Structure formats: structure tokens, C-alpha cells
Amino acid sequence: MLRRKFLKGAGIGVAASAIAAPAIAQSAPDINWRLTSSFPKSLDTIYGAAETFSKYVSDATDGKFKIQVFPAGELAPGLEAANEVSKGTVEVCHTCSYYYWGKDPAFAFGTAVPFGLNSRMQNAWMYHGGGIDLMNEFYAGHNLYGLPCGNTGAQMGGWFRNEIKSVADLQGVKMRIAGFAGKVMSGVGVVPQQIAGGEIYPALEKGTIDAAEWVGPYDDEKLGFYKVAPFYYYPGWWEGGAFLHLMFNTEKWNSLPKNYQAIVWAAAQAANSDTQAKYDFLNPTALKKLAAAGTKLRPYPQDVLEACFNSAKAAYEEISATNAPFKKMYEAMSAIRADQYLWFQVSEHTFDTFMMNQQRKKAL
């Protein structure tokens, strides 16, 4: 009698597993994707953000969803990564949205815009202020779906072969600077050049360009810019908090099971946080090493900052007059910026200023 009950119960269990197994299999299929990065492997922090993301996805799916990361140039040139994804040649890329400024200036808001938001404000806008949805409304027109995946924090203002003492010293300077920032710089006499990261050093060394901006001390030291351009300026007013983005081919993204989409979202957000934490940890030591190697650290002169700010205001107005998506993003970003800087003035700035003064006293 017990045997019959056991067999009956086992039969129910087998039947249940037979029903459940296909459903489980369908929700966790084996998927292999390729990710093309806009960055070389040598830049372990910025390139590494995609590797971190890929590892999180693989670990969370028990290796069923694998995303292989390729450096710039293997599957696509660094500045063409999103274009290849849009065409469906590659499933996903890790890039900077503003690299595609030439297709539409609205792409700039996915990375950073001149005199815009710092990284914490960027996170507030993207994750809680509707920024991700707003960007994806725009990206959809380019067959892309985007998620933030890494932030450099406030960047440096670039390397110059010659000292900049006033706006007059910027006239005719050929500078590697991308997208919107290039347009603003052109308004004060700079001749902007868009060059991929791996090509900047030889261009500076040969004198093809006179200046270049990249990211910050850790990455800049790796690329060796201090050897050929001794003046290092700050702040990078065009990138107060520069987002990196994962961009997925829309059809490929929509084909993912919902649980895989949720895992990708979580992995991208985790990698986003990890990347800036790593930069914040590594940059101070790198800056000390650069100073010890003879780098001449300089703040931008006040008249340069004022001129660039006015050039940026004019550019925002000019583009907003003819580009509706750009105007929509600019107005949304500006509203967030107004509230955020009000809050930062009340608490954050006061605290930071006090602590910096204490550091100065300690140094003395």
C-alpha cells in the first residue's frame, strides 16, 4: 500500500517536472553575444567596465548568457561601435554616446554636455529623473537601446604643448576634443579634432595636434601624454560626469527573455557604480605620479572659463532652435541641474570647501 502511494506521488512529481522543465529552459536559454568596445585593452578601467558587466551577466545566469568583449578595432573601429550595433553586425557595444554627435547632437546627453551635471547628478537624472527613458526614446530612432555602464567622474581639462594664459592663447590650437565640447571650443578659437584614444599620443608627439583631452590622471598617465605635452589643465568643464553606455541592437534587446533583461539592467548598474569607484581610488595616486614626473598642473584661467561658458550657452540656444529632441533633453537636464546645484550648495559644497581648507592648512 505504501509502495502504491509512493509511486503515485512520484508520478505527480515527474509530471510536474515534465511541465516545469520546458518553462525553465525557455526562460534561461543559452545565448552567446559579442560586445565591441570603443576602447583599447590597455585602458583597463574604462575597457574593464564592459568586462565587469559581462562577468556579472554570466555569473547571474550560471554561464547561460555569455557576452564576449572585444577591444576597439577587432570587430569595429572605436568610433563606429554603435553604428555597427545599429546595423545588427554586433549585438552590443560599450561606447560614449557623444561620439555620434555628428549624426545628431542629441547623442551628447547620453555622455556629458558642457557645464552640465556631475556624476552624482547624472545618476539622479538617469535612474530617478527619467533620463534613461528619455535617452531611449531618442536611441530607438537609431535602432539602439542604451543603459549607463560606467562613469569617469569629473574629467581633466586636457594636455597642452604650450601654456594657456588667456583666451588669446587658444586661437588656432588644434585640439583632440570630441563632439559638443569641440563645437564650444571652436567658438573660442580652437580647431577641434576627433581622434580615437589609441591615436592621440602619436598625434601629439608628431605635432599633428597641439592639445588633447582624454579622461583623467589614471588613464592619461597610461597613455603617456605627459611625455609630449607638459601642461595639464583642469577642470574638464565639458565632462563634469561622463557616462559610458552599453548600446544594444533593438531587435536583439527585445528578443531577450524578461529575466535576462532584468539581469542586464542590474549588471550594467553595478558596473556603473564600480567603474567610478575604481577611478576615484586610482586617480589621486596617478596625479601624484604625474606631478613627480614633471607635469605642470594648471587651472584654466578665469577668462577662458567665462568665454567657454558663453560659447556653450550660445551653442545650446542655436541647436535647440532646430532640433526638438535636443531641446527636450536640454530642458530636462537644465531642470535637474538647477535643483541639484541648489542642494549641493546647501550641504555638499560647504563640506567639501571646509575639508579642502583643512587639507591646505595641514600642508602648510
Side-chain angles (χ1 to χ4, degrees):
M1 187 173 176
L2 287 171
R3 181 173 176 273
R4 285 197 299 272
K5 286 183 178 179
F6 174 78
L7 289 172
K8 186 177 179 182
I12 293 171
V14 170
S17 64
I19 293 169
I24 293 170
Q26 287 171 14
S27 65
D30 288 311
I31 297 177
N32 291 286
W33 277 7
R34 297 174 305 162
L35 182 154
T36 182
S37 174
S38 283
F39 315 106
K41 275 187 178 180
S42 58
L43 297 177
D44 58 308
T45 305
I46 200 166
Y47 176 83
E51 293 185 312
T52 298
F53 160 74
S54 175
K55 183 179 185 302
Y56 288 160
V57 170
S58 180
D59 289 350
T61 60
D62 292 326
K64 287 185 169 293
F65 188 7
K66 294 178 180 174
I67 302 173
Q68 186 177 2
V69 181
F70 293 86
E74 287 197 12
L75 297 182
L79 301 181
E80 292 293 322
N83 294 333
E84 293 303 311
V85 172
S86 178
K87 291 189 291 187
T89 309
V90 188
E91 291 86 359
V92 56
C93 68
H94 187 234
T95 189
C96 290
S97 183
Y98 68 9
Y99 287 164
Y100 311 97
W101 153 275
K103 297 179 73 171
D104 192 312
F107 270 103
F109 288 95
T111 303
V113 292
F115 301 101
L117 307 174
N118 68 24
S119 59
R120 287 180 59 184
M121 297 172 188
Q122 284 273 50
N123 282 331
W125 182 33
M126 288 288 164
Y127 291 113
H128 295 281
I132 290 177
D133 290 340
L134 188 58
M135 290 309 305
N136 277 318
E137 179 184 310
F138 168 73
Y139 290 147
H142 298 271
N143 200 31
L144 297 167
Y145 179 83
L147 290 173
C149 185
N151 199 306
T152 65
Q155 295 194 2
M156 292 293 283
W159 297 87
F160 289 77
R161 292 162 63 91
N162 298 303
E163 190 171 5
I164 303 300
K165 295 181 179 179
S166 71
V167 177
D169 293 325
L170 292 174
Q171 303 306 304
V173 168
K174 291 177 291 200
M175 182 177 186
R176 184 274 177 194
I177 187 165
F180 197 174
K183 179 175 176 62
V184 174
M185 276 295 216
S186 69
V188 295
V190 169
V191 182
Q193 313 283 313
Q194 183 147 307
I195 302 173
E199 300 169 13
I200 298 173
Y201 182 90
L204 273 172
E205 186 178 34
K206 294 173 185 175
T208 307
I209 56 176
D210 307 303
E213 62 84 29
W214 182 239
V215 178
Y218 181 69
D219 284 345
D220 291 3
E221 185 205 6
K222 277 181 168 289
L223 292 174
F225 299 146
Y226 64 97
K227 299 174 185 176
V228 288
F231 295 97
Y232 198 21
Y233 280 86
Y234 63 90
W237 44 263
W238 50 86
E239 295 183 78
F243 262 135
L244 309 171
H245 255 69
L246 292 166
M247 291 189 180
F248 303 85
N249 176 272
T250 303
E251 288 79 7
K252 290 293 184 181
W253 171 259
N254 291 336
S255 73
L256 287 177
K258 294 298 181 185
N259 61 327
Y260 277 16
Q261 289 183 353
I263 287 168
V264 166
W265 248 85
Q269 192 167 7
N272 185 53
S273 175
D274 179 78
T275 302
Q276 183 164 356
K278 193 172 181 181
Y279 270 121
D280 285 344
F281 177 74
L282 294 170
N283 275 330
T285 301
L287 188 59
K288 290 178 184 177
K289 289 171 69 177
L290 287 168
T295 297
K296 299 172 183 178
L297 196 63
R298 300 282 192 275
Y300 273 122
Q302 190 64 27
D303 74 320
V304 169
L305 290 176
E306 290 287 348
C308 290
F309 183 76
N310 291 333
S311 179
K313 281 178 26 181
Y316 281 122
E317 291 171 8
E318 175 192 333
I319 301 168
S320 293
T322 58
N323 187 316
F326 181 96
K327 181 180 180 182
K328 185 176 182 179
M329 291 178 202
Y330 176 51
E331 290 175 347
M333 185 276 292
S334 297
I336 288 282
R337 182 177 60 185
D339 285 344
Q340 290 292 310
Y341 275 112
L342 182 64
W343 156 240
F344 270 65
Q345 252 187 325
V346 169
S347 183
E348 299 284 345
H349 177 69
T350 305
F351 177 78
D352 290 347
T353 301
F354 174 78
M355 291 304 295
M356 283 191 290
N357 287 335
Q358 296 307 304
Q359 284 288 94
R360 291 193 188 99
K361 289 177 184 177
K362 185 178 178 181
L364 294 173

